[in-house]
């Protein structure tokens, strides 16, 4: 989900730095907006470094550069459009008042008006300010409007007083975010099958052929689908990753085992995402005892493994089938070819030689090629977010295909 995190002027502003990290770990992309007062407490650089994105500060100034231009003048609208959730932590009494009244004199308050996304506010202020009838009335209006308020905790405040006013614990804020995310269960009717990780093809009792797949991308798809309400079956080769919450994992070792497991689960699936780096070949013979060292060269004969994706997609019915293409050259050309040859609906292609992409890193740089030719190149992003985009694309393609008017055959 694309979360815009508003940071306003309070001592608790530093706590939001950690919040950025936690939100990212849960698969969200975070755009930070800081008010002028917030910048007195923490520098935008801290948030820029953590979020990996430019921090938005003022209206009309184009952020740090100070260059006013048309782009910066309408940026609040652009940010509003790409915000799935507006979270403000800490939210000062001033921010609550502005939001409640509909004032729009800085970027954050303008964004609040321009956005239709759900809003979560985590107020933090002096106890008297919190208890003041003006603040309480503002909170009342905001709640009435559906704004989610994460109540401040009680305790020792930076002003020296004790009472309610401390920014709520991070877990409380994350809980409120999760509740909203969960409400957006757009995959609740789906059963998503995911293959992940490498396969291991045994040569003898101690040796095998495998590859560098960590399983991270496939596990991210499984996790994202489960969070969006899908029933998820993850068929995984050997990895060291933990099973995501709510996901049913079936462990396999070889490509043949993976194929058998997929064949058993595919009929119940509505979306199948083949992320596994399946070994294309396996040793033709499995030695039952350890192969002994001998003088001279050793030749190992390999035979091809089944192409699981292509095998299943042949009779896919109305299931959506997503494949991956890890390429080292001619990415687009190879991806389009795979779409057709494997009868897939989407191919997620990446150049595994690019930095920040491919095996065993937490980020990826992919282009999603689609059966309806709407290619979607994505910038470098966390695998958790790539996973969300793949699922978004699968849903988009499904509704595009369904709403396509039936084509008339000659003679009709
Ligand atoms: O042809 P290539 O191996 O590049 O295709 C990659 C895609 O096909 C991935 O989605 C991968 O999971 C799938 N695949 C498969 N079985 C194989 C080889 C690839 O399911 N034996």
């Amino acid at each position: 989900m694309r979360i815009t995190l508003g940071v306003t002027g309070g001592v608790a502003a530093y706590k939001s730095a950690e919040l950025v990290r936690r939100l990212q770990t849960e698969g969200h992309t975070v755009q930070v907006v800081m008010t002028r007062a917030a910048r007195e407490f923490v520098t935008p650089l801290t948030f820029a470094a953590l979020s990996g994105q430019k921090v938005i500060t003022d209206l009309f100034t184009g952020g740090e550069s100070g260059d006013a231009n048309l782009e910066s003048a309408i940026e609040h609208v652009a940010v509003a459009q790409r915000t799935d959730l507006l979270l403000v932590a800490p939210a000062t009494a001033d921010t609550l008042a502005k939001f409640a009244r509909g004032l729009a004199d800085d970027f954050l308050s303008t964004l609040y008006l321009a956005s239709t996304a759900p809003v979560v506010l985590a107020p933090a202020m002096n106890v008297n300010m919190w208890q003041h009838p003006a603040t309480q009335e503002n909170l009342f209006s905001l709640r009435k409007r559906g704004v989610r308020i994460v109540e401040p905790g009680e305790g020792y405040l930076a002003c020296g007083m004790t009472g309610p006013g401390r920014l709520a614990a991070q877990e409380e804020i994350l809980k409120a975010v999760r509740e909203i995310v969960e409400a957006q269960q757009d995959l609740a009717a789906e059963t998503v099958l995911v293959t992940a990780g490498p396969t291991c093809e045994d040569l003898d009792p101690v040796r095998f052929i495998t590859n560098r797949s960590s399983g991270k991308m496939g596990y991210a798809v499984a996790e994202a689908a489960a969070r969006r309400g899908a029933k998820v079956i993850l068929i995984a080769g050997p990895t060291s990753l933990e099973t995501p919450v709510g996901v049913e994992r079936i462990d396999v070792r070889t490509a043949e085992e993976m194929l058998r497991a997929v064949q058993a689960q595919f009929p119940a699936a509505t979306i199948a995402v083949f992320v596994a780096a399946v070994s294309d070949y396996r040793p033709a013979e499995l030695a039952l005892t350890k192969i002994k060292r001998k003088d001279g060269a050793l030749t190992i004969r390999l035979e091809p493994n089944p192409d699981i994706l292509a095998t299943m997609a042949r009779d896919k019915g109305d299931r959506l089938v997503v494949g991956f293409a890890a390429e080292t050259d001619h990415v687009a050309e190879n991806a389009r070819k795979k779409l057709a040859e494997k009868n897939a609906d989407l191919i997620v292609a990446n150049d595994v030689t690019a930095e920040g992409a491919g095996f065993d890193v937490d980020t990826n740089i992919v282009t999603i090629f689609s059966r309806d030719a709407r290619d979607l190149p994505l910038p470098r992003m966390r695998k958790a977010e790539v996973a969300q985009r793949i699922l978004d694309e699968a849903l988009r393609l499904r509704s595009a295909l369904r709403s396509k008017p039936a084509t008339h055959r000659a003679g009709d």
Side-chain angles (χ1 to χ4, degrees), residues 196-199 210-218 238-239 275-278 359-360:
T199 64
T210 190
N211 58 65
R212 289 175 52 203
S213 167
S214 63
K216 284 181 178 169
M217 190 62 244
T239 74
V275 197
V278 183
F359 297 125
D360 214 19

Side-chain angles (χ1 to χ4, degrees), residues 28-66:
H28 305 297
T29 307
V30 184
Q31 168 68 65
V32 178
V33 175
M34 294 180 85
T35 61
R36 184 175 293 277
R39 282 176 279 143
E40 300 293 330
F41 292 91
V42 189
T43 68
L45 197 58
T46 305
F47 286 101
L50 288 169
S51 66
Q53 311 226 29
K54 188 189 90 173
V55 170
I56 299 173
T57 51
D58 301 314
L59 264 181
F60 305 120
T61 62
E64 296 303 274
S65 69

Side-chain angles (χ1 to χ4, degrees), residues 253-270:
R253 181 169 172 79
T254 66
E256 283 198 306
E257 282 172 25
M258 186 173 273
L259 174 64
R260 279 197 294 275
V262 170
Q263 281 169 329
Q265 303 298 328
F266 194 73
T270 55

Side-chain angles (χ1 to χ4, degrees), residues 152-305:
E154 295 215 13
Y156 178 78
L157 305 174
C159 56
M161 295 176 76
T162 307
R166 272 170 84 124
L167 180 70
Q170 202 165 81
E171 272 312 314
E172 292 293 312
I173 301 172
L174 289 168
K175 202 169 131 227
V177 169
R178 280 187 211 121
E179 278 169 18
I180 290 177
V181 171
E182 275 160 22
Q184 303 194 347
Q185 302 273 285
D186 56 353
L187 295 178
E190 310 288 341
T191 298
V192 179
L193 171 74
V194 183
T195 69
T199 64
C200 295
E201 311 295 335
D202 294 322
L203 261 168
D204 72 13
V206 295
R207 303 185 180 97
F208 55 89
I209 295 173
T210 190
N211 58 65
R212 289 175 52 203
S213 167
S214 63
K216 284 181 178 169
M217 190 62 244
Y219 274 60
V221 172
E223 181 168 6
R227 285 228 181 116
R228 287 166 69 162
K231 173 175 161 53
V232 183
I233 297 153
L234 172 64
I235 299 176
T239 74
S240 53
L241 302 174
E242 263 179 56
T243 312
V245 177
V247 169
E248 181 188 334
R249 187 174 102 187
I250 300 171
D251 289 327
V252 296
R253 181 169 172 79
T254 66
E256 283 198 306
E257 282 172 25
M258 186 173 273
L259 174 64
R260 279 197 294 275
V262 170
Q263 281 169 329
Q265 303 298 328
F266 194 73
T270 55
I271 299 176
V273 191
F274 294 88
V275 197
V278 183
S279 180
D280 288 326
Y281 295 93
R282 63 171 177 252
E285 288 105 35
L286 169 63
L288 296 176
T289 53
K290 189 175 163 197
I291 298 168
K292 298 284 179 309
R293 182 191 171 93
K294 282 190 217 131
D295 286 342
L298 171 71
T299 304
I300 298 165
R301 208 165 55 83
L302 301 175
E303 60 187 19
N305 263 328

Side-chain angles (χ1 to χ4, degrees), residues 325-339 347-353 367 369:
E327 305 291 346
T328 53
D329 58 294
H330 299 99
V331 178
E333 201 181 311
N334 290 333
R336 286 202 190 93
K337 209 165 124 211
K338 256 169 222 176
L339 257 181
I347 287 283
V348 182
N350 63 349
D351 180 347
V352 285
T353 62
T367 297
F369 293 89

Side-chain angles (χ1 to χ4, degrees), residues 384-400:
E385 206 203 338
V386 175
Q388 301 284 5
R389 298 298 179 87
I390 294 166
L391 296 169
D392 290 347
E393 267 310 282
L395 291 184
R396 180 200 65 75
L397 180 63
R398 164 152 341 118
S399 61

